[in-house]
Each structure stands twice: as structure tokens, then as C-alpha cells.
Amino acid sequence: MSKSGFNRRQFLETSGRTVVGGVATTSVAAMIAPGGAWAAGLTTLDEPTADVLLRVCRVMFPHDKLGDDPYRTCVGGLDMKAAKDDALAKQMKDGAAALDNGGRKFLKKDEAAQVKALTAIEDTPFFKTIHGHVIVALYNNPKVWGHFGYEGPSFPLGGYLERGFDDIDWLPEV
Amino acid sequence: MTTFDLTDDTVVVVIGSGAGGGTLSNELAQKGVKVVCLEAGQWLDYTEDFVNDEWTMFGRLTWQDKRTSSGTWQVAKDFPELPAWICKTVGGTTTHWAGVSIRFQEHEFRTKTVYGNIPGANLLDWPLGLNDLAPFYDRAEDKLGVTRTHGIPGLPGNNNFKVMEAGARKLGYKSVHTGYMAINSEPRNGRTSCRQLGFCLQGCRMGAKWSTLHTEIPEAEATSNFELRPNAQVLKIEHSLTGKITAVVYDDGNGNLQRQKARVVCVAGNSIESPRLLLNSASNLFPDGLANSSGQVGQNYMRHTSGAVFGVFEKPVNMYRGTTMAGIIEDEATHDPSRGFVGGYELETVSLGLPFYISFLDPSNWGKEVSWFIDRFDCTAAMSIIGEDMPQMSNRISLHPKHKDQFGLPVPNVHYDDHENDSAMREHAYKQGARIYEAIGAIKVKRAAPLPATHNMGTNRMSAQPQEGVVNKWGQCHDVDNLFVSDGSQFTTGGTENPTLTIVALAIRQAEYLSNQLKKNNI
């Protein structure tokens, strides 16, 4: 599993120069009803496509500790990009449909088979687009940081000088 | 604020406001030399515009104009359009640097002599030695407020350092400490002290880390000899029929071209843009680019042999808390060919927040293995490898034959192949890094590939002989008396050490030389 490519474009997407991408994750999160389906959110992608993308995002970066909401946020971000980019919308729709080829639905496969299906397409533009998006959109979302023990901005709290910058207590004596 | 007329041909024009250009500007202004500093990036207020957010600050600080890459290095695969992580903003890459400030070792100024004939390497002795630079290192350390020099205490060790230190001691390493840092451990010269925020690489929100943005530039502005023009990207350096530099042409940020006349021009745009500017300034008189009779402009690009080692433990580390790079192991920095390579390397702590962690840990990967590491982000320690890489003529900045930038000029291509010495050194460092974490119970260790470099050196190198390099021992171009190079592209070889302190020392030294030459009317 490799070589999906991560380039300057993904950096730029989050840099504040464009509206979509990481910058928009919180607003997308607000748009999509927590724990629910897509009712409140999708503007361009159809629900079957979004359902497949949701699963693709999770298989790409699986975390048992995360519910569906952060992954839905990722799909919401793709939906926002698709709203402004017809080629991307088509790429998502066609790519999701292609995962169902052979008559057996991607969503009905077990996880191992889903991994195998994604491995087979990891060099495609469809896969690379999603990977480049999710690698930023999933982890640049402050709502997931706590699940991984990341505390985010420290300046507003005075840094870590009195908040545990050197509190490690399990190291062997040297 | 002082301003100078575009037609004032008595000024020194400094291109770039980072470690080289910002320091040189201030040193000259303090000596009464009139300076116009042209900075391609915008001015930011560190008390408002610097925030603790990795992606946001990447967007605000980084040089993002189009660049391409080629060669067999991993960066060309993982980050093809981002060959270097350097800045386009007032203060240059001193906004983003980690603050590590180490002198070169004596032998690192004469590697051709000491290392001998290394096939494929274009080694050359510097035209100056540690003795020549020592007094200027002294002044640079004082200026930057480097810890463990001038009686300044070291920074306290954070969690990430304590993990590395414990493992290093177990292995028997002796020189392990919180580094020589241009980050205040106590208030000094109007700069506050570090509050262990983390986010050193995102621009220090405290101003505790030295950056020309809030030190050299305002000091220069306090004289009546200095004008900073932000959003001014220089496109071409012009010369007279006799080959003397007369002016620079720049875009003023509003889409208008301006021509600033100059008595002297000093180029300090970092090791990609500086040679690119010389190459883009080719003329009938200088068909291969300005100051390029040697053919060495753009060649010998060095970026340090780098990489990172992550160690995962059962219990929390929280590496992101506190100073990003205040931790060093110096034992491997020596030249000891018995290890299978020439030159040495340092191991230095490095930390990342979660958003950058995933993007740099394994940027092209996916699936359960990557997720396993991310799930243990809080139990992870990290160190980076920084070692001397070999200068090679084929590692070079060149003008792209097709792609043009927003000004219609050819974009730079950065070509790099690892030398076998680089690969042998990296392999040694990866193994030692893993042993350090395993010695204190790491449950898993991961090697991370080199990132886009913040250390970029060598593309306008110093040489005693004009045919072997671009500038002399003062950074003055061999071919053109009133054209200087004032950044890390002057480096003849890269050394093991993070380059900023040496860039600053060279800039202080160059300011003395240049102001004396101006006084004597030699230029």
C-alpha cells in the first residue's frame, strides 16, 4: 500500500488560499447531522456515492476509536469540492460505482475484501484524490484531536511551561 | 520611516530579509550604509498573524510559487512540487527555523583535504577556516542569544528530549543536552523567554525565538539608513555595458514592474531562488547567467542527509509539548570513516502536531499499519537526522524548460540524487536512532523518509579559485565586483550543523568587508 502521492496541491488546499479542504472542515461538520445520514449535507454527490466514499475513507485510515462523524466530514469536504468541480464530481461517482463492479457491492464485502479492492485501485486518480483529501481533512479536524491525545493550540493556555512539558514519569533511571 | 528613491544609485540593495539578508541589512545600516531590502513575501505581525496551527501557518509562511523536482530522492516522489520547506515572508525562513545554532567544526571547512577523493563528490576546501570565522560566530551567538554560549543557560528538557536522552545514555552517548538554541531560556535584549508552546516551526508566537522579523529588521528601521519593501519580488539584476551591476527589476506586489538603481546588490533569496535569479538574469555579456563563468551557479545543491525516527512506547510521551528541537546528541557529529562514511551527523529531537504527523510519517501510505501509529500519537517520541551530504555537480537548481511562474519566468527545478556516502550515513543514523528508543523499551520504531528541506546550501559556492566556484571568501562574486551572495548558497560544503548560525556569522563578516570597501571606494 503505497504511492498514492501527496503533493503541493494538498498543502495548498489547506493553506487558506482556497475555500475547500481542511479550512472548511468545521463548517462541513456543522452542516452534516451528527450520527445521521446525509439529509442535511450533500449538495452534489448522490447518497449511494457518498455511502461508498464514507466506507472508503474509513478503510483508508481505520480508527476504531472514531465514530462515523469525522469520516462523514471528509465526505462532506469532497462534496463541497465536487460542487465546484464537475470533473471531480464525475470522478467520485464513477469511481464509487466501479468499486461495485462484478455485481458484488463494495459495501457488502468484508473488510479484508474491501482492502483488497482499494489496493487494486490505489494508483488511480480516484483513489489519490480521496487519499490526498482525507489525509488532511480527517486529522486537521479539531474534533478528532482529543481521541489521539493531541491538545492543539497552546498559546491561548500559556504554553506547556506549567502544564506538563516535562511531566514524563516512566523513564528508566540513567 | 526612511524611504529611498528608485533612482538613488548610492544604495545597497539586499534581496531577501531572512538570516542572511536581514542580518546583513541591519549590520550595514548600523554602520551608516544606506540599504533597500526587497522582500518577496508579505510582512506579518507575529503577535497577531502567528497562530498555533500547522496547516494555517504553512499557508502563511511557506514559499509556494511553483517548483519542480527530479532525481532519485524520496522527496521527488512524496512531495514533487515542494522540494524545499522554506519561507516567503518578511524574516524569511527565520520565522520557521527551529532555532538550532551550532558552529561548524574545524575540519568541515577543509573536507577535500580531510575526506580525500570521494568519487562523485565535488568536494572543495572553503577559502576560509574556523579561525577566520570564530570572532563572527561569537558575535552571531551574542546577537541570537544562543543558549550554552555567553553564559546563557540551556533550555529545560521536555518530554521528547527526556526520552531521547534516556536512550542515548543507555547506549553510552556522552554529549547529550538541550542544544545551542536561539530561543531565550530567560528574557534577554528585549526578547521574552520560551513558555514551551511547541509550534516553533509555525512561527514563534512569543517572539522568544530569534527571527530577523522582530530583531534585525526593526533595529535597522530604527536607523535612518534602511527601507524594507515587502511584496517586492526581484525578477532580474541588470548591469552596464562594462558588466557592473546597476539596478534590479522587481514586481511591487501590485503587478507593476519597478527598477531600483543600486551601487551594490546582495542576493539572499536562499539556495533555490538565489541561483535562479542569477540564471534568469542572463544577458549578452553573461549568456550562462550572471556571475556564472565557472558554470557552478545552481550546482552542488546540498540539503543535509536527513530522515526521522519515531519510537512508539506503551505510555504517553506527548512529544508536541514544548520546544520542538531543543535536544541534541553530538557524539556522531565527528568525522570517523570507520563507520563506513565520511563526515558526521547529529540526532536532534523533532515533534509534530497530529495534522503534520500523518502527513510526514508516511505521506503516501494508507491502511491499518499507518492507523496503528496514528492511534499511538501520544505515546510517540521523534528525532531527526541531520548530517553532511556530499556536494555533487549534478545536484542542481536549473531553469525549467517549459514551466513559467506568475511573472512569466522559468520556474526552478531541483534535482537531487543521494550520494552513496549520504545513503550509508542515513542507514547508520536510522539504526542508531532505533537503538536509542529500543534501549528504553520502544514497542515499535519507524523510519520516516526525508522531508522537503529547510536546510538548503551550496548553489553559489565560495572558492579560492574563480573557476571552482561563484563567490570569493567574502561572498563577493568572482565575475562581478559589486554583486554579493549573502545566504547559505555561499556554502562550499554543508557541514553537519544546522546552517543558520553560519549564515549569520558570514553576513556579519560580509557587512564589515562591504562597508570598508565602500568607504575606500573600491566598489
Side-chain angles (χ1 to χ4, degrees):
Chain A
M1 297 179 188
S2 67
K3 295 191 287 288
S4 81
F6 182 74
N7 62 29
R8 195 171 134 278
R9 179 162 301 281
Q10 278 103 46
F11 275 90
L12 292 177
E13 282 174 353
T14 62
S15 69
R17 285 190 169 188
T18 52
V19 180
V20 293
V23 174
T25 50
T26 45
S27 57
V28 174
M31 275 168 51
I32 296 170
W38 304 103
L42 296 173
T43 64
T44 304
L45 300 176
D46 57 61
E47 290 199 16
T49 299
D51 287 341
V52 170
L53 295 180
L54 178 65
R55 186 62 196 161
V56 169
C57 289
R58 185 181 277 281
V59 174
M60 229 177 237
F61 294 106
H63 297 289
D64 293 343
K65 60 176 107 179
L66 295 183
D68 272 351
D69 286 352
Y71 295 103
R72 280 182 190 280
T73 301
C74 295
V75 177
L78 286 169
D79 181 56
M80 282 184 69
K81 290 180 182 177
K84 295 173 182 174
D85 184 342
D86 292 344
L88 179 74
K90 184 173 187 319
Q91 185 187 58
M92 290 300 114
K93 190 176 173 57
D94 294 352
L99 281 171
D100 285 337
N101 72 5
R104 192 173 163 219
K105 297 283 185 189
F106 178 74
L107 291 174
K108 302 247 190 231
K109 293 176 177 171
D110 62 24
E111 189 176 352
Q114 288 172 336
V115 169
K116 201 174 164 191
L118 290 186
T119 305
I121 62 159
E122 67 177 352
D123 288 328
T124 63
F126 169 71
F127 184 94
K128 289 181 179 182
T129 300
I130 298 173
H131 181 269
H133 172 78
V134 175
I135 201 170
V136 176
L138 183 60
Y139 301 107
N140 200 34
N141 179 355
K143 290 186 177 176
V144 311
W145 289 348
H147 292 286
F148 299 99
Y150 180 54
E151 296 168 89
S154 73
F155 176 76
L157 302 169
Y160 291 105
L161 189 59
E162 293 103 10
R163 297 192 310 120
F165 82 102
D166 64 348
D167 66 356
I168 196 162
D169 60 2
W170 52 262
L171 288 169
E173 289 295 318
V174 287
Chain B
M1 287 287 179
T2 307
T3 57
F4 295 102
D5 201 276
L6 289 168
T7 58
D8 187 341
D9 59 4
T10 68
V11 299
V12 172
V13 169
V14 176
I15 301 169
S17 64
T23 302
L24 177 70
S25 292
N26 185 30
E27 291 287 317
L28 289 173
Q30 299 296 333
K31 294 175 193 299
V33 177
K34 291 185 285 183
V35 175
V36 173
C37 181
L38 302 175
E39 165 56 53
Q42 62 183 333
W43 182 85
L44 297 174
D45 179 349
Y46 76 90
T47 66
E48 289 188 3
D49 299 321
F50 286 11
V51 293
N52 288 175
D53 184 293
E54 292 176 315
W55 284 115
T56 299
M57 291 315 297
F58 182 89
R60 286 187 187 160
L61 298 176
T62 308
W63 190 289
Q64 298 177 58
D65 294 12
K66 187 175 175 67
R67 287 170 174 162
T68 59
S69 57
S70 59
T72 54
W73 54 326
Q74 186 65 30
V75 171
K77 299 179 181 73
D78 290 340
F79 307 92
E81 293 178 55
L82 191 84
W85 186 0
I86 47 184
C87 298
K88 185 177 190 175
T89 187
V90 174
T93 307
T94 66
T95 56
H96 157 69
W97 77 311
V100 180
S101 305
I102 319 175
R103 297 183 183 205
F104 267 44
Q105 303 165 75
E106 194 273 336
H107 73 268
E108 288 172 331
F109 290 96
R110 18 180 222 107
T111 54
K112 187 175 186 181
T113 302
V114 177
Y115 299 170
N117 181 35
I118 309 292
N122 192 21
L123 288 170
L124 185 70
D125 291 355
W126 289 56
L128 67 149
L130 182 58
N131 282 346
D132 298 304
L133 210 50
F136 299 96
Y137 271 138
D138 201 52
R139 286 166 62 182
E141 287 163 347
D142 184 45
K143 179 191 282 288
L144 273 56
V146 178
T147 59
R148 292 190 166 80
T149 74
H150 298 268
I152 302 168
L155 287 159
N158 66 359
N159 292 331
N160 197 29
F161 168 71
K162 288 181 166 184
V163 173
M164 185 176 83
E165 182 191 32
R169 302 265 181 231
K170 278 250 180 184
L171 257 61
Y173 283 134
K174 302 286 188 238
S175 186
V176 185
H177 55 80
T178 58
Y180 312 97
M181 304 296 292
I183 295 176
N184 278 351
S185 54
E186 50 191 32
R188 186 174 188 273
N189 288 353
R191 259 164 59 210
T192 188
S193 57
C194 174
R195 289 196 55 83
Q196 302 288 335
L197 269 59
F199 299 99
C200 299
L201 308 189
Q202 282 67 47
C204 181
R205 176 62 179 77
M206 301 294 299
K209 179 183 81 180
W210 179 83
S211 166
T212 55
L213 171 64
H214 56 78
T215 58
E216 308 304 307
I217 304 282
E219 282 174 27
E221 284 177 330
T223 72
S224 54
N225 303 319
F226 176 79
E227 180 188 354
L228 172 73
R229 292 185 202 149
N231 308 306
Q233 185 155 339
V234 178
L235 310 178
K236 190 169 191 205
I237 301 171
E238 296 184 331
H239 60 78
S240 67
L241 291 172
T242 57
K244 198 172 162 62
I245 302 302
T246 54
V248 301
V249 175
Y250 66 95
D251 182 282
D252 66 4
N254 297 314
N256 304 312
L257 292 184
Q258 307 289 353
R259 175 177 288 108
Q260 173 66 54
K261 292 200 169 179
R263 182 176 178 188
V264 174
V265 170
C266 302
V267 184
N270 211 316
S271 291
I272 296 175
E273 292 308 313
S274 287
R276 177 187 178 223
L277 178 58
L278 297 183
L279 294 171
N280 271 335
S281 298
S283 64
N284 286 338
L285 200 56
F286 299 101
D288 298 322
L290 260 184
N292 195 24
S293 66
S294 66
Q296 300 276 318
V297 170
Q299 298 192 357
N300 312 303
Y301 169 66
M302 294 171 286
R303 59 183 311 281
H304 275 152
T305 295
S306 62
V309 180
F310 293 89
V312 182
F313 296 86
E314 285 176 356
K315 293 184 177 171
V317 176
N318 297 316
M319 65 168 164
Y320 57 87
R321 293 183 185 171
T323 324
T324 302
M325 221 170 221
I328 188 168
I329 302 168
E330 295 185 290
D331 297 64
E332 300 283 3
T334 55
H335 169 57
D336 173 10
S338 71
R339 291 174 298 183
F341 53 89
V342 299
Y345 63 87
E346 272 118 12
L347 297 170
E348 298 173 5
T349 55
V350 68
S351 63
L352 300 161
L354 185 74
F356 271 15
Y357 179 67
I358 171 60
S359 296
F360 292 149
L361 174 83
D362 201 347
S364 300
N365 215 339
W366 60 278
K368 277 189 171 167
E369 187 201 334
V370 183
S371 290
W372 186 92
F373 280 95
I374 299 164
D375 280 336
R376 285 155 188 81
F377 169 77
D378 56 339
C379 296
T380 302
M383 69 175 87
S384 66
I385 299 160
I386 296 171
E388 178 167 17
D389 58 339
M390 290 295 106
Q392 301 181 68
M393 288 175 76
S394 54
N395 286 347
R396 63 185 294 200
I397 312 305
S398 60
L399 301 179
H400 197 282
K402 290 197 198 106
H403 296 310
K404 302 279 200 294
D405 70 3
Q406 64 269 39
F407 307 108
L409 295 174
V411 306
N413 181 68
V414 182
H415 182 94
Y416 193 90
D417 300 303
D418 286 319
H419 188 277
E420 62 181 22
N421 195 76
D422 307 340
S423 303
M425 178 189 288
R426 183 181 290 115
E427 183 62 24
H428 190 274
Y430 273 144
K431 281 183 181 157
Q432 291 306 103
R435 287 180 65 204
I436 287 165
Y437 287 143
E438 284 162 359
I440 49 166
I443 55 176
K444 211 163 191 176
V445 167
K446 186 171 178 65
R447 298 174 171 193
L451 299 180
T454 299
H455 303 172
N456 299 274
M457 301 162 292
T459 50
N460 292 307
R461 72 176 184 181
M462 272 188 187
S463 64
Q465 303 302 321
Q467 64 272 23
E468 290 184 322
V470 180
V471 298
N472 66 17
K473 65 179 177 179
W474 307 107
Q476 183 177 27
C477 290
H478 288 302
D479 297 349
V480 188
D481 278 352
N482 66 337
L483 180 61
F484 287 72
V485 174
S486 315
D487 58 19
S489 68
Q490 303 174 79
F491 285 23
T492 309
T493 52
T496 303
E497 294 74 17
N498 309 50
T500 300
L501 184 75
T502 302
I503 294 172
V504 171
L506 288 171
I508 296 171
R509 183 171 172 273
Q510 186 178 76
E512 290 213 342
Y513 174 78
L514 177 51
S515 63
N516 285 334
Q517 293 295 304
L518 292 171
K519 266 183 214 149
K520 292 177 186 165
N521 269 322
N522 288 346
I523 299 177

